[in-house]
Amino acid sequence: MKIIVFGATGGTGMEIVRQALEAGHQVTAFVRNPARMTLTHPNLHLAQGDVMDAAAVERSIAGQDAVLSALGPSQPPVPGMMETAARNILAGMKKHGVRRLISTTGAGVRDPQDQPKFSDHLMKALLSLLAGKVLQDSAANVAVLRASDVDWTIVRYPRLMDGAHTGKYRVGYVGKDSGSQISRADGADFVLKELAEGKYIHHMPIVSY
């Protein structure tokens, strides 16, 4: 399958690229700075650009079968970046007839199926206090994707950490069946599994230990 990965040089994005290549996919990594892509592979191609540039995003999506996005807020944060990126990606998908989208976000963005516990409410309150604008932009990104007519899946993560690729984790909703952390490698594992199986189209599961 031909896939494009946005946020490809981040911790989770790099794992998605690595595992996609191992699975035999043709991967295009959309990168702002090609020097940050440390992986090399015959099936890896680079598309240089900025997600805020609608034309660059649209060009990169041409010929792809699916879009994977591991974008996260930039440092320092660019106001509205995540929402704008979502709109640009969807516009590119519409122009080129690409239907499948898997995007990642944090557990602080809620889903109607969540049943948050006190600790979940406390964590979200802390996030709102320390990174309120970032959380708002992530929520806006998700709202744009959910309102679209593509075959989207939004994968949510709790605290991401470096760790082993075990392939063993829980998939559920906040408060029902969710833990407090996940390795980036296992977070990427689920993205590639969902790309192959399509069990969570139009859903927002959380993946955790």
Side-chain angles (χ1 to χ4, degrees):
M1 185 180 293
K2 293 182 179 179
I3 62 174
I4 182 165
V5 180
F6 291 91
T9 57
T12 304
M14 195 78 79
E15 279 294 332
I16 290 173
V17 171
R18 186 194 317 277
Q19 293 180 35
L21 291 168
E22 290 173 353
H25 296 293
Q26 295 276 342
V27 180
T28 297
F30 188 91
V31 296
R32 204 166 31 173
N33 180 5
R36 292 188 60 196
M37 175 49 68
T38 57
L39 299 174
T40 58
H41 193 281
N43 291 337
L44 175 62
H45 314 280
L46 301 185
Q48 186 173 5
D50 191 309
V51 293
M52 301 287 278
D53 182 345
V57 171
E58 178 265 303
R59 286 194 300 269
S60 70
I61 293 174
Q64 305 295 336
D65 298 313
V67 175
L68 308 183
S69 175
L71 288 169
S74 61
Q75 295 297 332
V78 176
M81 186 272 284
M82 295 294 291
E83 181 179 4
T84 300
R87 295 189 186 282
N88 289 344
I89 289 170
L90 288 171
M93 291 177 68
K94 181 176 182 180
K95 180 168 183 178
H96 295 291
V98 181
R99 295 286 310 163
R100 189 65 170 117
L101 169 66
I102 303 177
S103 185
T104 67
T105 193
V109 181
R110 294 289 190 245
D111 179 86
Q113 297 190 62
D114 292 340
Q115 294 180 0
K117 300 174 183 177
F118 175 76
S119 58
D120 299 313
H121 287 299
L122 187 62
M123 182 58 68
K124 184 169 182 179
L126 186 62
L127 283 171
S128 297
L129 180 65
L130 299 178
K133 291 184 178 179
V134 169
L135 184 58
Q136 289 172 9
D137 194 23
S138 295
N141 170 282
V142 167
V144 169
L145 298 182
R146 288 184 65 120
S148 72
D149 62 356
V150 303
D151 296 329
W152 57 264
T153 300
I154 297 167
V155 180
R156 293 180 294 165
Y157 300 135
R159 183 169 64 90
L160 284 161
M161 60 181 188
D162 293 327
H165 180 188
T166 69
K168 299 177 181 179
Y169 42 78
R170 293 182 287 172
V171 182
Y173 291 87
V174 172
K176 290 183 179 181
D177 188 24
S178 62
S180 61
Q181 62 185 22
I182 186 78
S183 74
R184 293 177 175 85
D186 278 338
D189 181 279
F190 178 74
V191 169
L192 272 297
K193 185 177 181 181
E194 172 60 17
L195 178 64
E197 298 179 353
K199 289 185 177 180
Y200 291 91
I201 292 175
H202 294 163
H203 289 283
M204 279 180 56
I206 182 170
V207 185
S208 65
Y209 295 136

